[in-house]
Amino acid sequence: MTRIRMSLFTSLDGYTSTTGRSPENPMGEDWGRLTEAYIATRTMQERFGETNGTGTTGVDDSYAAAFFEGVGAEIMGATMFGLTSYPDDPDWKGWWGERPPYGTPVYVLTHTAPRPPIPMDGGTTFHFRRGAIEDVLAEATDAAGGLDVRVGGGVGTARDFLRAGLVDELHLLMAPVVLGRGTRLWDDLPSLDLTHKVTTEVAESGTIHITFAR
Amino acid sequence: MTRIRMSLFTSLDGYTSTTGRSPENPMGEDWGRLTEAYIATRTMQERFGETNGTGTTGVDDSYAAAFFEGVGAEIMGATMFGLTSYPDDPDWKGWWGERPPYGTPVYVLTHTAPRPPIPMDGGTTFHFRRGAIEDVLAEATDAAGGLDVRVGGGVGTARDFLRAGLVDELHLLMAPVVLGRGTRLWDDLPSLDLTHKVTTEVAESGTIHITFAR
């Protein structure tokens, strides 16, 4: 059965970073501090890194590997795709080069005029939708063919899905840092612990993995 | 060398609970959810519970035992002592009965007229001070005789000491619950991870223990 999954980075003080976002630094200034241990994993290094075959192999890597397993479709917000940074470039194809790491249909939520689909190398096709998130989710679920649908982010999109009660599994990677700035993950979210089972685990890096699953 | 130590409870979303505080429920409505696993430890059951000799003996209990070790003086806010709930009762002696669990001098911070010291059974004496927190800390440090000074709370007092950079060791007990209400622990705190080493550990109960130590 298709499950709706999401992974988010947060600091100890509950910030998901978007401070100082710019085209040159699309994820914001603190993003590196939040994601350092995750990027260092073998799974992420093999997919994105310069150090193919190396990288950490502990608890963080187990979660990183699971992140890529069993996903049949992806949903992301316009900002994560880059439409906010490059609103006037009809040829913008995202941040991930010619071969994005998704390998599935990717539904990009947008409030602007829909663009035609963009097929990429490696099985990724970007689709642009401006319907209600429930409708886009239904389409993504169909496309996933029994595999899971992942809601990739950014945090605004993630919070929309959480507030609508649409997420079956939320995986938080809480980095052992205090940011003191950024976007608050938790504001006005439902109490997920009342509807989902909470499990917690600490990795060798000190990263706290918190999973809410129903 | 005397270290200034503090332990605080927080939810995953960064709330320390004071919602719905009343004389009958002085710690607030959500306090039980935050402290459940800690109260269940053998250390806490032996000191406060009805089930002497039982209680959990895992990671939570290790932290609970350490909480009571090596403390030579205590500092707490007026609300934690009960002056806010019982401002007009000159005979109020705190919430802990005739034999409070401290066994040391306890310095109660107050903005109202100082009261005479209250000696209790078991080595606890309550002193009332309305000086600057740095001055009270200096007096408590002298009284501790080389042992540690613990800043007990409540969260307002704790945040005052943290903002002033006076805390050598902060132990956070992050319960695996989402409260969505209460007092925010993190607002306007300095980035402790820049001055303190952060360690993280998960207990069998799911409680996340986060320690900042310099």
Side-chain angles (χ1 to χ4, degrees):
Chain A
M1 205 189 83
T2 296
R3 288 172 63 79
I4 316 304
R5 289 163 40 190
M6 184 186 291
S7 286
L8 292 174
F9 295 94
T10 175
S11 61
L12 293 173
D13 50 343
Y15 288 106
T16 60
S17 173
T18 56
T19 305
R21 180 183 281 185
S22 66
E24 294 70 34
N25 199 356
M27 302 306 289
E29 292 175 6
D30 296 321
W31 190 246
R33 296 185 68 204
L34 282 183
T35 61
E36 182 180 359
Y38 194 65
I39 298 298
T41 60
R42 185 170 65 182
T43 295
M44 295 300 284
Q45 285 297 317
E46 285 179 354
R47 288 181 175 253
F48 301 104
E50 305 289 319
T51 59
N52 203 359
T54 68
T56 65
T57 56
V59 171
D60 288 329
D61 191 54
S62 299
Y63 282 94
F67 180 76
F68 290 100
E69 285 168 8
V71 176
E74 181 96 9
I75 297 173
M76 67 174 62
T79 301
M80 181 166 168
F81 181 75
L83 292 183
T84 310
S85 298
Y86 298 101
D88 302 320
D89 179 356
D91 296 324
W92 175 253
K93 296 178 178 179
W95 314 98
W96 303 277
E98 287 300 319
R99 191 182 179 86
Y102 300 105
T104 68
V106 176
Y107 295 86
V108 180
L109 303 168
T110 172
H111 295 293
T112 56
R115 303 177 175 206
I118 307 176
M120 307 291 289
D121 291 346
T124 299
T125 300
F126 293 113
H127 302 274
F128 301 87
R129 295 289 183 271
R130 59 174 173 183
I133 58 176
E134 290 83 356
D135 296 337
V136 179
L137 179 57
E139 184 179 357
T141 301
D142 277 349
L147 296 178
D148 290 345
V149 173
R150 190 170 55 198
V151 179
V155 65
T157 299
R159 284 166 40 78
D160 286 345
F161 276 82
L162 288 167
R163 278 198 299 270
L166 297 173
V167 178
D168 296 311
E169 186 175 314
L170 169 63
H171 168 218
L172 291 183
L173 299 95
M174 185 177 273
V177 300
V178 179
L179 292 185
R181 63 179 191 173
T183 302
R184 284 189 206 280
L185 168 63
W186 295 104
D187 282 359
D188 305 316
L189 285 193
S191 287
L192 282 177
D193 58 337
L194 303 181
T195 50
H196 293 59
K197 179 172 162 45
V198 185
T199 55
T200 52
E201 184 176 12
V202 164
E204 296 83 351
S205 65
T207 300
I208 303 159
H209 294 270
I210 305 166
T211 305
F212 299 84
R214 66 178 171 197
Chain B
M1 204 187 84
T2 296
R3 289 171 63 78
I4 316 306
R5 290 162 39 189
M6 184 186 292
S7 286
L8 292 174
F9 294 94
T10 175
S11 60
L12 294 173
D13 50 342
Y15 288 106
T16 61
S17 174
T18 56
T19 306
R21 179 183 282 184
S22 67
E24 293 71 35
N25 199 358
M27 301 308 288
E29 293 175 5
D30 296 321
W31 190 248
R33 297 185 67 204
L34 281 184
T35 60
E36 182 181 1
Y38 194 65
I39 298 299
T41 61
R42 185 171 64 183
T43 294
M44 294 300 284
Q45 285 296 318
E46 284 179 354
R47 288 181 174 255
F48 302 103
E50 304 290 320
T51 59
N52 202 359
T54 66
T56 65
T57 56
V59 171
D60 288 329
D61 190 54
S62 299
Y63 282 95
F67 180 76
F68 291 99
E69 285 168 10
V71 176
E74 180 95 9
I75 297 173
M76 67 174 62
T79 301
M80 182 166 166
F81 180 74
L83 291 183
T84 310
S85 299
Y86 298 100
D88 302 320
D89 180 355
D91 295 325
W92 175 252
K93 296 178 178 179
W95 313 97
W96 302 277
E98 288 299 320
R99 191 182 178 86
Y102 301 105
T104 68
V106 176
Y107 295 87
V108 179
L109 303 168
T110 172
H111 295 294
T112 57
R115 303 178 175 205
I118 307 176
M120 307 291 290
D121 292 346
T124 299
T125 299
F126 292 112
H127 301 276
F128 301 86
R129 294 290 182 270
R130 59 175 175 185
I133 58 175
E134 290 82 357
D135 296 337
V136 178
L137 178 57
E139 184 179 359
T141 301
D142 277 349
L147 296 178
D148 291 345
V149 174
R150 190 169 56 198
V151 180
V155 65
T157 298
R159 285 166 40 77
D160 286 346
F161 276 81
L162 288 168
R163 278 198 299 270
L166 297 172
V167 179
D168 296 312
E169 187 174 314
L170 170 63
H171 169 218
L172 290 182
L173 298 95
M174 185 177 274
V177 300
V178 179
L179 291 185
R181 63 179 190 173
T183 301
R184 286 189 203 280
L185 168 63
W186 296 104
D187 282 0
D188 305 318
L189 285 193
S191 287
L192 282 177
D193 58 337
L194 304 182
T195 50
H196 293 59
K197 179 171 162 46
V198 186
T199 55
T200 52
E201 183 174 13
V202 164
E204 296 82 350
S205 64
T207 300
I208 303 160
H209 294 270
I210 305 166
T211 305
F212 298 85
R214 68 179 171 195

